[in-house]
Amino acid sequence: MSAFINFMLCIAIILCFNVAKICGERSFQIDYLNNTFLKDGVPYRYVSGSMHYSRVHPSYWKDRLIKMKFAGLNAVQGYVPWNVHELTPGNFTWEGSSNLTQFLEIAQEVGIDVLLRLGPYICGEWEFGGFPAWLLTKDANMVLRTSDPSYIRWVDRWYTELLTKMKPYLYNNGGPVLMVQIENEYGSYFACDYDYLHYLRDKVKSILGPNVVIYSTDGGADYYLKCGKIDGVYATIDFGATNDPVGAFQSQRDYEPYGPLVNSEFYVGWLDHWGTPHEMVDSTPLAKSLDKLLAYGANINMYMFVGGTNFGFYNGANSPPYQPVPTSYDYDSPISEGGEMTDKFLALRDIISKYLPLPSEPIPANPNITNLGEIPIEFLCTIQDALPYLTPEGPYRTVFPVTMEEINFYEGFILYRFTLIKNYYTPTPLVVPGIRDRGVVMVNAVPFGILDRVGTTQVFITGTIGQHVDILVENQGRVGYSTAMNFNTKGIIENVTLGNDLVMSWEIYPIHAENINVALIAAMKKRTTVNKPSKSVNSNLMTPSIYTGSLTFSDSPTDAFLDPRPWIKGQAFLNSFNLGRYWPYRGPQVTLYIPKYVFNIPPALNHILLLELESSPCFMSQSQTNCYVTLTDTAYLNGPNGPGHTLKLPQGYNDPNSHLVH
């Protein structure tokens, strides 16, 4: 009898080891022998979609995850952007839109697994590829994404904070996170530093444990995997629609002869840049390709499955050439930026249903969206009059211009000022070769022209002794890809000349955009005198100015889209929330998405504020009837450069940068 008991105990131990759920344990691992993942000892295949928590209002995280479940997905993949969690060195934030642990808890509540991309570099068309801009102040010779000690020092502290925070959320520890990705598409980077990848791998294992599944993602070709693959990290690839699954996965098989087939970024849409048509991917060939890949047994993550928004100043840029990304990151996704389940959602859902079960309940309704029509807007103040409120610490004084980063300021706008020390009666070239990225040049608040790093870097001005020359510089987003990442300082990064003279003695005003709010409205309306904007000589431009309007709701607010036309270019705010950049006549994005949670509930007023950089419609026409924005129920992301659209500008306005439209 004892021999029989011992035999049964051995069988139980074997079963516990191979099928962990029998013993109440949780495990996730790679079964190389059978080319699959194992979840609790059972073969597991994921069909996932990308959603970026930093691009979705936190009040909508659950809504979007539930909709992903209704598409048949069993996993969500997302980046962790370092720069939303460590705004200044050593000061970490995990609240609000940075509340990663809350996002993970919601995913677990919804019943969807998580594939977490830890970075520290993420790309994703996000500001600086996810790096905090203050890194640029630590060592001028620092080489990002390498084993450079001056870089690793900061990564090590960040990884310690991040990994410790998310360790309880690993699947093996009872959470939803199945596996974690280090770096991103490293094989596309010039450095090819294996020591760096080894460091990341070892750091992750030292905190998350030796059994954590770590993966990498690279382009679907051998020359990418050559520098992206290291031992102990499972290599996955990315590619778009294909009719040849065998060929598409050949590069992964070259480096991972055994194990599950994984496409970590199956592109169901694509990214936009200002001045180019809105990118769209046809659902029909996409669905056919997904069907073939799933029939082939692949694990698929669709990028992006949930569209998002680069609220505030979080849009990134690509280079070369320098191309900033718009506010919208809708990405032509199956679930749109505004949470709509599109025809693409339904087409992909039909395919997924052949391989994974769908929820038995009906698909949720699409969101209600408000159409409030035209909202009157009125002039508040010029940028010069607002300086005491937008730069309460006063100006920084330097002999030569310094970058934003050198004064510990990292995003949005910054104003550089010098005073004329002699008369310039004839137009004289002001040359600013280091403009990063775009600047409006004014003399005593009168605009003379626009500087642009990929356009013109000189403007001809006139003026007299004692007049102020202001250059309001816009940081349009840091490059998040390629070697240009290492040269990402903003503001004015080189010396400036006026005629034959080197300009010296500067005042620099960092513009705190968070101060463009209701308090500013109240302060400006108390003034007894009002300085109106000035018009440029050619009448194309006005003094950059702040405008405002208000509205209230009779019932609970719903989502909306702000159509800024006929305004030209600037930054939009609702209450204290930075909605993002608008540039409707450059396009392709026209409307800005407004989540309902940004509105004040009735009877409280809602305040819209616009920092208009070029020209307001009421200023150009001298008629207040043209001074409005529209709150609409329709997203407009494919104009004016999209198919069937032409560049139609407001009456009396000519785009000074029209040569930049591709």
Side-chain angles (χ1 to χ4, degrees):
M1 180 64 70
S2 61
F4 177 76
I5 293 174
N6 288 337
F7 173 77
M8 293 305 295
L9 285 173
C10 288
I11 293 297
I13 290 170
I14 292 170
L15 287 173
C16 279
F17 183 79
N18 291 298
V19 188
K21 65 179 180 178
I22 293 177
C23 298
E25 296 177 358
R26 293 159 63 94
S27 67
F28 186 79
Q29 60 195 104
I30 296 173
D31 181 351
Y32 289 93
L33 185 62
N34 294 297
N35 298 327
T36 188
F37 293 109
L38 291 178
K39 185 180 181 185
D40 298 335
V42 176
Y44 172 89
R45 189 257 290 272
Y46 65 76
V47 181
S48 169
S50 288
M51 169 185 166
H52 298 160
Y53 66 90
S54 58
R55 282 180 160 128
V56 176
H57 193 283
S59 297
Y60 272 133
W61 287 346
K62 188 172 184 178
D63 171 84
R64 304 302 195 260
L65 289 169
I66 288 173
K67 288 171 179 174
M68 294 176 80
K69 284 275 288 187
F70 272 90
L73 304 183
N74 59 2
V76 58
Q77 183 204 74
Y79 290 126
V80 180
W82 182 0
N83 55 11
V84 306
H85 294 287
E86 193 176 3
L87 301 181
T88 58
N91 296 313
F92 298 100
T93 179
W94 300 97
E95 301 300 325
S97 59
S98 300
N99 198 335
L100 171 61
T101 57
Q102 182 185 48
F103 176 76
L104 297 177
E105 288 165 2
I106 292 172
Q108 187 159 29
E109 177 190 346
V110 169
I112 194 164
D113 296 324
V114 178
L115 314 169
L116 202 58
R117 312 177 84 173
L118 302 177
Y121 167 76
I122 64 170
C123 188
E125 293 74 57
W126 189 252
E127 156 70 6
F128 201 8
F131 287 129
W134 50 258
L135 273 179
L136 297 167
T137 69
K138 300 306 177 185
D139 180 355
N141 298 314
M142 178 190 297
V143 182
L144 302 169
R145 305 176 69 191
T146 70
S147 54
D148 181 345
S150 63
Y151 166 68
I152 291 294
R153 168 192 174 191
W154 303 103
V155 173
D156 190 76
R157 187 178 66 183
W158 162 237
Y159 252 37
T160 299
E161 173 78 11
L162 170 62
L163 296 171
T164 303
K165 197 81 174 177
M166 55 87 49
K167 182 176 181 178
Y169 296 91
L170 280 181
Y171 184 79
N172 294 353
N173 297 331
V177 179
L178 297 180
M179 58 183 190
V180 296
Q181 178 186 310
I182 57 170
E183 255 285 341
N184 190 45
E185 296 181 334
Y186 191 71
S188 301
Y189 195 56
F190 75 95
C192 199
D193 187 337
Y194 295 116
D195 289 342
Y196 169 55
L197 297 181
H198 290 151
Y199 156 77
L200 295 178
R201 176 199 64 194
D202 295 344
K203 182 71 176 180
V204 169
K205 286 185 176 290
S206 72
I207 295 179
L208 299 186
N211 296 324
V212 63
V213 178
I214 307 173
Y215 72 106
S216 63
T217 299
D218 279 291
D222 283 4
Y223 53 84
Y224 294 125
L225 285 154
K226 178 182 178 182
C227 287
K229 164 64 180 172
I230 60 167
D231 292 340
V233 175
Y234 192 71
T236 75
I237 58 173
D238 50 34
F239 56 83
T242 178
N243 291 315
D244 179 18
V246 177
F249 279 111
Q250 186 56 54
S251 59
Q252 186 189 15
R253 276 290 172 251
D254 289 343
Y255 283 82
E256 297 286 4
Y258 305 101
L261 296 169
V262 180
N263 182 344
S264 286
E265 291 187 9
F266 177 64
Y267 300 111
V268 297
W270 198 246
L271 62 117
D272 287 337
H273 295 106
W274 287 116
T276 64
H278 178 50
E279 297 284 353
M280 302 181 73
V281 175
D282 192 327
S283 297
T284 301
L286 191 67
K288 290 180 179 178
S289 177
L290 179 63
D291 197 5
K292 289 185 177 182
L293 292 169
L294 294 178
Y296 189 54
N299 296 262
I300 299 294
N301 175 73
M302 286 168 274
Y303 190 101
M304 295 287 298
F305 202 85
V306 176
T309 311
N310 299 312
F311 292 119
F313 302 111
Y314 276 117
N315 70 279
N318 289 307
S319 177
Y322 179 76
Q323 293 180 289
V325 174
T327 300
S328 173
Y329 201 69
D330 178 84
Y331 217 87
D332 194 30
S333 299
I335 300 174
S336 73
E337 177 183 21
E340 178 188 5
M341 293 166 289
T342 65
D343 291 341
K344 183 178 289 185
F345 175 96
L346 298 175
L348 297 178
R349 183 178 187 266
D350 286 344
I351 300 301
I352 296 167
S353 68
K354 297 167 60 175
Y355 302 92
L356 291 176
L358 298 177
S360 57
E361 300 88 353
I363 297 176
N366 274 327
N368 293 321
I369 303 179
T370 296
N371 187 344
L372 292 179
E374 295 177 0
I375 308 298
I377 301 292
E378 63 180 7
F379 172 76
L380 183 65
C381 61
T382 64
I383 193 70
Q384 284 83 1
D385 282 345
L387 283 181
Y389 303 90
L390 303 183
T391 313
E393 70 272 35
Y396 292 81
R397 291 178 170 83
T398 63
V399 176
F400 301 106
V402 297
T403 66
M404 295 175 76
E405 295 78 12
E406 287 178 271
I407 59 172
N408 298 314
F409 188 69
Y410 305 111
E411 61 183 22
F413 301 89
I414 187 166
L415 187 143
Y416 291 79
R417 169 176 289 176
F418 67 91
T419 302
L420 294 178
I421 57 175
K422 64 181 183 181
N423 297 320
Y424 295 88
Y425 294 120
T426 60
T428 305
L430 178 70
V431 181
V432 191
I435 188 75
R436 296 292 184 274
D437 300 300
R438 192 172 183 274
V440 181
V441 177
M442 296 161 275
V443 180
N444 266 25
V446 177
F448 274 75
I450 290 177
L451 302 161
D452 194 292
R453 66 183 288 177
V454 294
T456 180
T457 57
Q458 74 172 18
V459 167
F460 285 83
I461 67 170
T462 58
T464 56
I465 293 174
Q467 290 186 324
H468 294 315
V469 178
D470 290 341
I471 308 174
L472 179 61
V473 179
E474 179 187 9
N475 165 3
Q476 293 188 295
R478 288 181 180 82
V479 174
Y481 183 77
S482 81
T483 57
M485 292 181 61
N486 292 282
F487 310 99
N488 249 335
T489 52
K490 295 294 185 174
I492 296 178
I493 69 169
E494 298 179 34
N495 284 336
V496 174
T497 58
L498 178 56
N500 296 321
D501 300 323
L502 185 65
V503 178
M504 296 186 288
S505 189
W506 292 82
E507 292 182 351
I508 302 175
Y509 297 80
I511 305 298
H512 295 279
E514 66 273 14
N515 292 344
I516 302 178
N517 54 27
V518 177
L520 177 66
I521 297 174
M524 290 293 101
K525 289 191 173 181
K526 289 179 180 178
R527 294 173 305 160
T528 56
T529 59
V530 176
N531 293 310
K532 293 292 186 181
S534 299
K535 184 180 292 187
S536 62
V537 174
N538 61 12
S539 298
N540 277 348
L541 301 171
M542 70 167 197
T543 311
S545 299
I546 298 170
Y547 287 76
T548 186
S550 63
L551 69 147
T552 189
F553 289 85
S554 58
D555 203 350
S556 296
T558 64
D559 292 356
F561 294 94
L562 186 148
D563 188 336
R565 295 172 298 175
W567 301 78
I568 305 298
K569 184 184 189 333
Q571 200 79 18
F573 305 82
L574 176 62
N575 301 321
S576 60
F577 191 84
N578 190 335
L579 294 173
R581 309 173 198 266
Y582 64 86
W583 205 355
Y585 298 97
R586 180 60 46 85
Q589 175 181 357
V590 174
T591 55
L592 291 170
Y593 171 56
I594 306 177
K596 66 181 180 182
Y597 300 100
V598 178
F599 288 109
N600 293 325
I601 60 174
L605 276 177
N606 292 276
H607 296 273
I608 297 172
L609 295 104
L610 304 179
L611 170 55
E612 172 58 46
L613 301 174
E614 293 197 8
S615 190
S616 80
C618 39
F619 178 79
M620 295 299 294
S621 66
Q622 300 298 314
S623 170
Q624 291 300 312
T625 60
N626 292 330
C627 220
Y628 63 86
V629 295
T630 304
L631 289 188
T632 177
D633 57 2
T634 304
Y636 183 19
L637 302 176
N638 195 23
N641 299 297
H645 299 284
T646 57
L647 191 67
K648 186 178 180 181
L649 296 167
Q651 183 177 3
Y653 176 83
N654 294 309
D655 186 355
N657 288 141
S658 59
H659 62 284
L660 299 179
V661 179
H662 301 288

